[in-house]
Amino acid sequence: MTYLEKIDNRIFERIVNVACYQTTNTSGRLSVYKELVALASVSRQWHALVQPHMQSVLILEYQTVPANSSQKPKSPKSKRRAVWKSPSIPRNEAALAKEHAWNTNVGLLQILGKQTPISRMRLQCFDSIPDFSQFVSAMDAAGLARCSLDSVTTIEIMDQLDLAVAIKASSVTENGTVSKRHVDASRVAAAYLSQHLPNVQQITSLSWNISLQSQQLVTHLAQLYFQQLHVLTVPLAMPADAQFKVASNLTKLYVDANVLQQLGNNVISAQQLQVLKLHNVDAFFSWEAFASNTNSNIRNELDFSNLTALSIKFSNDNVVTTTDFYSSLGGSKYNVRVSMGRDRRRLLFPRLQTLNVCKLPYTYTDAWRMFVDSPLKRLAVAGPYAHVRYIEPRLLRNLDVLDVHTVGADKHSGRFTSFIKSLLDEESPVKSAWLRHAELFPLSVSRQVKWQHLTELCISAYMPTLAVLSLASQLPSLLRLTVQRIAHDTCEEELDQPFIDGVNWETFVSVPNQPSSLSIRELQLHMGGEGSVPRIPTLQAICYILLCIPSAQLLAIKQMYWKYACKFIKHCSNVHPHLSNVKLIRHVFMATKSPSVFLE
């Protein structure tokens, strides 16, 4: 029995899954995909494990190849002479001359057979802007038409080009649109794909920033498959002559609001949608593209009856004046309460659990009322304070996760702390919260905090040490506390070696009368001002918080305070035994992402 045969099959499977995942499931180049053949040739067992991965995806890649790669030179010597003696191409440019071609793994798939159905087609380009003028002839020459692709249900677009490069492409006109020749070529390519892939239900992209050329192809594909699509999560470039029929099967849609407005009225069934992400939304946004339930007797209602996640990201509304906005509604700001969007229908979200709203325009004074009756579990709000201040407190009554991120001028900073106080005073079952504010205004808290079930809290705002401890003392279930900004003035005394050598650590900070929390297990204190100079008041704040929270078992702090905190713990463990239970790490090793990442 060989060494390979002695290894457990589960270990083999894990090795193969790791080796194949990036190539077949994410962004592997076609050249890397072909290297899986070597992996499959290790043994029969490895071949059986690798083959399903290789057969799961059809790859169509637009490649950059050397200009003379199609003509094999007689010898390296003759090749060098041809380059050096060229009268029309300089030496350095001849070496860099390239041409482009479409390539595919269809040949390998035909060799592998039909043991595993092909479920995905991935169209990708990495080094050059795709040109679809030769797409059909290249695919026919590769034998794609002879391959059975009825099992393909997903089209993925992988475009890793620099957008600045893509915009400067020869196929892009001076006004930033794609040339007519390329639009026509992408239309032909889309028709070819729809002919050979009749059962596509999903069109997705691994990156939102795909080139204008790929956007044209995707738009034509979306138009051809629109009625049968379940998932559409790619940026579209709306052609002037596009006509979309009603999409009654869409369950997941990511779309630019400007493109959505051009689709027409009542072309997307609101009843079927489960996930909806709108971006680049302006203050004049309308929900008219969404169709109500045709069986409903109530025509003035738009019911998103199965929608569970909604993300709306507005563009900057600075160019929209208040007068223009309210004039478009036929009223003034004194007699119009504005909900989100200009649709006159009543919007219903009976199953909505995740809501993410970014840069809500200040002109929407009644935007949150439509969500009051929704069973929200996760809420993320971001934007200037003046835009989010109208948030309805009743939205907190069922929440598990809350993320509030405000920015604005200093004149609103005092209002922000009052706003946060009002949220903390609302009774809520929220378990994870992230409170962020960009301005240097001290955030204080009241003595009436009612978030009794909170287990994780991250504060990214200027907050005095005593305020942190006061808040912690009112959260009996808190397990993890992250404070990212307790910044002291840069003119305060710096830590230096003479100070460290002479300090009495046992009297370095005062001993608290009673602990502030007996529940917190993890502390992340990303404290300290700009720069990398450690300062005495900040170190004292870290040490004092540590004494006030004897239940802490893990402390993450900035690198520049790490060795000083170690000295404090070492010298004071005899007097304060709980310090010996604290594991000290640098904060870069701990997760600090917002709880709203589930919306991204």
Side-chain angles (χ1 to χ4, degrees), residues 22 56 92 142 144 153 157 159 176 192 289 327 347 350 366 372 421 435 440 444 476 478 559 596:
Q22 184 173 6
S56 66
N92 59 339
L144 186 141
T153 59
I157 306 297
D159 191 336
Y192 179 85
S327 295
L347 301 182
D366 198 24
V372 167
K421 279 184 178 181
L435 307 178
L440 290 175
S444 59
L478 193 63
Q559 169 74 32
S596 69

Side-chain angles (χ1 to χ4, degrees), residues 42-290:
V42 171
S43 67
R44 290 183 179 180
Q45 184 180 13
W46 283 52
H47 182 275
L49 293 172
V50 173
Q51 185 168 342
H53 290 277
M54 296 185 67
Q55 287 186 292
S56 66
V57 58
L58 167 66
I59 299 176
L60 312 180
E61 182 174 317
Y62 192 63
Q63 297 177 335
T64 302
V65 295
N68 56 355
S69 62
S70 59
Q71 297 179 355
K72 185 176 180 180
K74 295 181 179 179
S75 67
K77 185 176 181 180
S78 62
K79 181 180 178 180
R80 287 196 296 272
R81 284 200 302 269
V83 173
W84 276 81
K85 293 184 178 181
S86 173
S88 57
I89 305 178
R91 173 184 173 184
N92 59 339
E93 292 184 12
L96 295 176
K98 295 179 183 296
E99 61 183 18
H100 310 96
W102 286 98
N103 205 347
T104 177
N105 65 335
V106 165
L108 274 175
L109 292 176
Q110 291 175 335
I111 294 173
L112 290 171
K114 300 180 179 179
Q115 288 86 346
T116 302
I118 305 169
S119 60
R120 295 175 294 119
M121 187 276 282
R122 188 167 75 231
L123 189 145
Q124 59 190 33
C125 54
F126 297 93
D127 308 312
S128 53
I129 297 147
D131 184 349
F132 295 98
S133 59
Q134 302 297 322
F135 178 83
V136 173
S137 59
M139 293 301 107
D140 278 341
L144 186 141
R146 298 189 298 272
C147 190
S148 177
L149 300 174
D150 291 351
S151 58
V152 175
T153 59
T154 301
I155 293 179
E156 300 173 350
I157 306 297
M158 166 52 65
D159 191 336
Q160 291 190 342
L161 293 176
D162 187 332
L163 283 183
V165 175
I167 291 173
K168 294 179 181 179
S170 58
S171 57
V172 178
T173 62
E174 293 182 358
N175 61 358
T177 59
V178 179
S179 65
K180 185 179 184 304
R181 180 189 69 84
H182 187 86
V183 172
D184 293 340
S186 62
R187 182 182 288 110
V188 172
Y192 179 85
L193 289 173
S194 66
Q195 178 184 353
H196 296 288
L197 284 70
N199 299 316
V200 170
Q201 297 179 357
Q202 301 185 44
I203 303 179
T204 65
S205 174
L206 300 178
S207 171
W208 191 260
N209 293 324
I210 67 175
S211 64
L212 299 177
Q213 293 78 3
S214 295
Q215 287 183 29
Q216 284 293 336
L217 176 72
V218 168
T219 301
H220 293 306
L221 288 172
Q223 192 173 358
L224 293 168
Y225 289 116
F226 202 60
Q227 288 186 291
Q228 66 190 61
L229 283 181
H230 291 192
V231 176
L232 179 60
T233 59
V234 286
L236 303 177
M238 188 57 57
D241 60 346
Q243 294 182 353
F244 286 79
K245 298 179 181 180
V246 176
S248 57
N249 297 311
L250 268 179
T251 60
K252 191 173 184 180
L253 175 64
Y254 300 178
V255 66
D256 186 309
N258 293 324
V259 173
L260 183 67
Q261 305 291 62
Q262 298 179 52
L263 293 178
N265 295 345
N266 302 317
V267 295
I268 300 173
S269 172
Q271 186 178 17
Q272 299 299 322
L273 281 174
Q274 298 175 14
V275 178
L276 174 61
K277 292 187 180 183
L278 304 173
H279 74 102
N280 201 24
V281 182
D282 63 29
F284 300 102
F285 171 72
S286 172
W287 299 87
E288 293 174 350
F290 298 98

